[in-house]
Amino acid sequence: KHATRQSQPTPHIQRPSMAPAVLHATDVVAVNHEDGRVACSNFNLVGDRIFSGDSVRASIRINGRDTDLIMLQNVQDQCFEFPGGSLVPDDGILAGLSLSHGLNTVEFHITPKGSTGEGVTASASLWLWSASDRIAVVDIDGTITKSDVRGLFANFFTGGADNHEGVADAISYVAGKGYRILYLTARPISMATETRKYLESVSKMPDGALITQQHGGIMRALTSKHDEFKISALGQIQALFQAETFASDFVCDPQGSVFAGGFGNAVTDILAYAHAGIARTHIFVADTSSRITNLESGNAFQSYTGLQPHLDDFFPGKDSHPFWAAPVPEMLNVLYAL
């Protein structure tokens, strides 16, 4: 007799569950004008996937309080928008929210259709600045970190990075003179949370608004035209101030730009800063050896630590003696001869 071959039970294959959906948001810059109106930059909110269901909406809390603000999912553009298709709320809404001057917290919340959990949340900051404020623009990869691409991936995989000597002290010094800090990076919005944590982990690095690219893919971010993104972002920030920028208490830039200076490491940074009206004398370029070069003169400091004692000449603060009272080349020759 042949032995009867018993059928083996089909093994149960446990399929990995899909990771929970994640929302990503960049910070928002808002400018308070003397006439009471508040102008703001884009509310950039992106999910790492399309949420199923019609009219998926994100509610918005500011400083822990519910608001009437909502954003609707735009499936085609894979982002969220205010009703009507704008990335900024209607005029007058922000002015009625009793925002605090400086830092405000923003929380976006979505409860996907059929979800029994607490939903999906993203947090960001809304920075309310005055129309008379001036801004120092700071790139991150290669400018705060020593390496451009390696700095990005080290931050992504380990949360940390190798930073330039003295960078936090130098940027903190500029912030201490009254300048607002804008961290402008070509990183994707999907790295916004990790980037905030990284900046917080750098001892003495001052608080500031974080603006990233709106799309979420790292490879797309790496291959995109960074100068075009930064020119567009700085242009929107500049527009928030409008003509009131010329009433600023700061004496720094004869062109009247709201941007008092810029720190970068790449040609794309230089192009964007120059396009935004930052004087070449106020653009500083870092290299991988931590040498900081002034774009106008070509002279270099050995590090941010070497630059810091001279920052008063470039970022004099409010009601200071105008840097531009003396001819620029003469001032620079005296400075670098020291």
Side-chain angles (χ1 to χ4, degrees):
K1 294 182 179 179
H2 297 285
T4 302
R5 184 175 181 179
Q6 297 181 349
S7 60
Q8 298 295 319
T10 302
H12 174 69
I13 300 176
Q14 185 175 1
R15 299 182 183 277
S17 59
M18 180 177 290
V22 179
L23 283 174
H24 310 284
T26 63
D27 290 350
V28 178
V29 173
V31 177
N32 190 22
H33 292 264
E34 291 184 355
D35 59 7
R37 63 193 175 89
V38 177
C40 72
S41 62
N42 290 345
F43 279 63
N44 288 322
L45 179 66
V46 174
D48 63 349
R49 71 186 63 165
I50 300 297
F51 293 91
S52 61
D54 298 328
S55 301
V56 176
R57 62 178 57 194
S59 60
I60 300 177
R61 292 168 59 87
I62 296 181
N63 294 331
R65 299 189 298 269
D66 292 332
T67 72
D68 294 329
L69 293 170
I70 61 168
M71 300 185 77
L72 304 177
Q73 180 176 235
N74 181 324
V75 175
Q76 181 176 352
D77 293 338
Q78 299 183 11
C79 67
F80 284 79
E81 302 170 336
F82 289 102
S86 176
L87 293 177
V88 298
D90 292 337
D91 292 343
I93 292 182
L94 288 182
L97 293 179
S98 300
L99 298 172
S100 300
H101 190 71
L103 176 63
N104 297 265
T105 60
V106 182
E107 185 178 271
F108 303 90
H109 183 82
I110 295 175
T111 303
K113 185 178 180 180
S115 173
T116 58
E118 297 181 353
V120 185
T121 300
S123 298
S125 298
L126 186 154
W127 292 88
L128 181 63
W129 294 339
S130 298
S132 59
D133 282 339
R134 289 293 186 93
I135 302 169
V137 187
V138 184
D139 173 52
I140 294 179
D141 295 304
T143 302
I144 298 176
T145 67
K146 281 188 175 181
S147 175
D148 205 329
V149 175
R150 282 190 298 175
L152 184 151
F153 281 103
N155 191 190
F156 181 77
F157 289 110
T158 69
D162 190 14
N163 304 319
H164 288 294
E165 175 194 334
V167 60
D169 287 329
I171 304 304
S172 289
Y173 189 87
V174 174
K177 301 291 287 186
Y179 294 87
R180 300 296 185 177
I181 304 300
L182 176 66
Y183 295 107
L184 180 63
T185 173
R187 293 183 177 194
I189 194 172
S190 60
M191 288 191 67
T193 298
E194 289 82 358
T195 302
R196 291 188 188 96
K197 292 179 180 178
Y198 159 68
L199 291 172
E200 291 170 359
S201 74
V202 180
S203 177
K204 299 183 181 181
M205 187 63 70
D207 291 335
L210 172 66
I211 304 297
T212 72
Q213 296 199 63
Q214 183 178 353
H215 53 74
I218 292 181
M219 294 310 299
R220 181 178 173 185
L222 289 174
T223 57
S224 64
K225 295 182 178 180
H226 296 175
D227 55 330
E228 293 182 2
F229 154 68
K230 293 188 175 185
I231 286 171
S232 176
L234 292 176
Q236 186 186 46
I237 300 297
Q238 175 93 39
L240 302 180
F241 290 79
Q242 297 184 346
E244 292 189 48
T245 56
F246 296 96
S248 174
D249 293 328
F250 291 95
V251 183
C252 193
D253 183 354
Q255 301 180 52
S257 172
V258 301
F259 304 110
F263 298 86
N265 75 300
V267 172
T268 52
D269 298 323
I270 295 171
L271 292 173
Y273 296 166
H275 193 277
I278 300 177
R280 290 172 57 89
T281 50
H282 287 64
I283 296 176
F284 298 91
V285 183
D287 66 18
T288 55
S289 67
S290 295
R291 183 173 54 187
I292 312 299
T293 301
N294 181 278
L295 183 62
E296 174 67 18
S297 68
N299 291 309
F301 299 95
Q302 288 303 311
S303 66
Y304 283 101
T305 301
L307 170 64
Q308 185 173 333
H310 305 288
L311 286 174
D312 275 343
D313 296 294
F314 300 97
F315 299 92
K318 294 183 178 182
D319 303 320
S320 299
H321 181 73
F323 169 77
W324 292 97
V328 172
E330 179 183 347
M331 287 288 293
L332 287 171
N333 288 336
V334 171
L335 175 64
Y336 288 106
L338 297 177

